[in-house]
Amino acid sequence: MTNIDENKELPIILHVDLDAFYASVEERDNPSLKGKPLIVGGRSHKGVVTTANYEARKYGVHSAMPMFMARQKCPRGIYVPGRMERYQEVSRQVFRILHRFSDVLEKVSIDEAYLDITHLGAKPHRLVKNLKEKVYTETGLTLSVGISYNKFLAKLASDWHKPAGVKEITPDMVPGILVPLPIKKVHGLGPKSCALLNNLGLSTIGDLLELSEEFLVDLLGKSGREIYQRIRGIDHRPVNTRRERKSLGIERTFSKGTRNREVLEDYLKNFSQELSRDLQDKKLHARTITLKIKDENFKVQSRGKTLFQHTNKAEEIYEVANGLFQELPLDKPLRLMGLTASNLLSEDLQQLSFFDL
Ligand code: TTP
Ligand code: MG
């Protein structure tokens, strides 16, 4: 049983994740480090390991482990502080290569992306081989790839044969392949949820498959439904080519506290204009406007209003902002005021919905 409509073409989704990313960049820039246990971290991250190469992982060193513990486990390791800018640069280089393979690409983190290659009509394994070769020859880095028909399964698969591995999960493997896996493998179940489930004696995906959807929703809230579907291999999330911005905002701290309404209204007018320009530059429209204030005693209050329609016009933003402002008592002088636009919609999406009508 796969719950998949056999007549519909299945998507082909790749999840790509670079191997021991920061450590691999260090090795690439200094090949004498190759083959030795290498640990990146320490300085910026309050004394914890940021990442360790696979050589060091053999000693039990892993990300987020306190540095002193890593030194105990692997005293002969080479320890280097991170060079974030360099990793960003190499990441951009890798993403440019990935983009040549499919422009339906969603960057998830500095070393991780989803690619939808359905429309290319290519054989996924051949494409992946090619992609890995290109990344290796052009950057010296290896990566692992998961191939499947949705994001959840592709991500699960990329972790399967790390490092430098490729794994495909096909519909006929589901749910069998999921049953023995520990619940922490379910993307969306964080450490807290896992602990909650473990306490109920649930440790594998197989255990979760016995539960009703209602039970999972009761236990985990809204995400229970998503989890119920995921463990059955169902995940309809599209590969999102653009990460949506959640909000845009401006705030100012005043050198001297003020409760002069005219002065504050002037600020609000300026904020509305700035916000409007910013939204228009980014081709965005907002539906929710939130006003935030902080008084002399550092007491913070915020008020928001959601409109019937999206807007990016300064006058409309100001009208809402000022309405919110008039409701505030202003019993103490203000030290800070801020205006945020959220519930955003991009113009492209708006056009899409117009076409859909
Ligand atoms: P990951 O992809 O989780 O780890 P990795 O690439 O080092 O190893 P692998 O994928 O082969 O298991 O994270 C990518 C980079 O993000 C990693 O090199 C360092 C950084 N990172 C942190 O800064 N803190 C963390 O807790 C983790 C897990 C990663
Ligand atoms: Mg990685």
Side-chain angles (χ1 to χ4, degrees):
M1 250 297 281
T2 55
N3 290 307
I4 280 172
D5 179 355
E6 302 282 342
N7 299 321
K8 231 176 124 194
E9 188 195 16
L10 282 177
I12 309 175
I13 311 293
L14 308 182
H15 180 259
V16 174
D17 190 310
L18 291 155
D19 300 321
F21 179 47
Y22 297 180
S24 305
V25 174
E26 296 300 335
E27 288 178 25
R28 159 210 156 130
D29 288 351
N30 180 0
S32 73
L33 296 171
K34 276 210 166 79
K36 297 174 187 158
L38 177 67
I39 295 101
V40 179
R43 274 194 208 155
S44 57
H45 252 282
K46 294 197 182 126
V48 299
V49 174
T50 311
T51 196
N53 70 359
Y54 280 78
E55 215 41 52
R57 290 184 201 191
K58 288 183 195 159
Y59 296 84
V61 178
H62 57 76
S63 301
M65 172 181 277
M67 224 42 175
F68 76 88
M69 206 183 274
R71 286 186 194 274
Q72 277 170 5
K73 287 181 181 283
C74 187
R76 289 171 181 272
I78 296 169
Y79 292 82
V80 298
R83 293 181 298 149
M84 206 51 213
E85 269 172 29
R86 178 71 183 131
Y87 309 144
Q88 299 278 10
E89 189 180 317
V90 178
S91 166
R92 279 195 292 275
Q93 201 184 347
V94 172
F95 276 98
R96 275 198 294 273
I97 301 171
L98 298 182
H99 220 264
R100 303 210 295 260
F101 284 84
S102 173
D103 55 3
V104 189
L105 178 149
E106 177 179 345
K107 183 175 172 178
V108 187
S109 74
I110 191 164
D111 84 327
E112 199 188 336
Y114 290 104
L115 276 78
D116 188 330
I117 60 163
T118 319
H119 60 292
L120 301 177
K123 287 203 166 65
H125 282 276
R126 186 175 298 174
L127 184 143
V128 166
K129 185 165 178 283
N130 200 348
L131 181 151
K132 290 181 70 184
E133 274 170 15
K134 284 280 180 308
V135 171
Y136 187 70
T137 48
E138 294 181 33
T139 71
L141 300 179
T142 64
L143 47 84
S144 299
V145 184
I147 309 171
S148 198
Y149 52 94
N150 65 42
K151 284 165 97 171
F152 168 59
L153 296 170
K155 181 163 168 80
L156 199 67
S158 71
D159 208 32
W160 216 272
H161 294 310
K162 252 187 178 296
V166 179
K167 166 82 177 168
E168 179 173 10
I169 297 180
T170 52
D172 54 304
M173 297 176 182
V174 176
I177 195 170
L178 305 177
V179 169
L181 300 178
I183 57 173
K184 67 167 191 251
K185 288 277 181 185
V186 183
H187 187 60
L189 281 183
K192 270 196 193 149
S193 303
C194 284
L196 188 74
L197 294 164
N198 284 154
N199 283 338
L200 295 173
L202 305 159
S203 57
T204 64
I205 295 185
D207 296 336
L208 297 189
L209 284 167
E210 305 282 322
L211 307 177
S212 70
E213 186 175 336
E214 293 70 31
F215 186 81
L216 275 172
V217 171
D218 274 350
L219 213 59
L220 305 171
K222 267 192 303 196
S223 66
R225 191 180 139 68
E226 232 166 55
I227 301 296
Y228 180 85
Q229 299 211 333
R230 272 185 204 169
I231 57 181
R232 286 164 174 77
I234 304 165
D235 177 7
H236 297 300
R237 288 173 301 159
V239 173
N240 231 336
T241 46
R242 247 167 315 165
R243 293 241 117 188
E244 297 295 330
R245 258 183 170 283
K246 293 251 160 58
S247 69
L248 281 178
I250 308 160
E251 59 179 44
R252 297 276 149 77
T253 305
F254 311 127
S255 47
K256 207 166 143 276
T258 176
R259 52 196 291 189
N260 182 328
R261 284 200 177 262
E262 266 175 37
V263 171
L264 292 165
E265 281 165 16
D266 260 344
Y267 270 108
L268 270 191
K269 244 179 226 153
N270 289 337
F271 286 177
S272 306
Q273 274 160 6
E274 238 178 272
L275 213 48
S276 157
R277 249 196 321 269
D278 215 6
L279 286 165
Q280 288 176 13
D281 285 346
K282 297 187 166 68
K283 296 195 178 357
L284 292 169
H285 298 246
R287 247 189 90 191
T288 303
I289 304 295
T290 308
L291 173 70
K292 175 178 136 186
I293 55 165
K294 182 156 81 182
D295 70 20
E296 270 188 334
N297 299 339
F298 300 97
K299 184 175 159 204
V300 176
Q301 293 184 66
S302 56
R303 296 266 161 87
K305 184 172 177 187
T306 298
L307 306 165
F308 282 114
Q309 279 200 322
H310 287 80
T311 181
N312 60 12
K313 294 204 176 67
E315 311 80 71
E316 294 181 4
I317 296 172
Y318 177 66
E319 199 186 325
V320 179
N322 196 34
L324 295 167
F325 179 63
Q326 299 306 333
E327 287 170 24
L328 291 169
L330 271 199
D331 38 11
K332 295 250 163 29
L334 301 190
R335 288 305 300 264
L336 175 146
M337 191 159 70
L339 198 62
T340 304
S342 59
N343 220 333
L344 304 177
L345 189 68
S346 86
E347 252 160 40
D348 307 354
L349 285 180
Q350 212 165 27
Q351 264 164 19
L352 215 72
S353 63
F354 289 150
F355 283 125
D356 282 347
L357 288 172

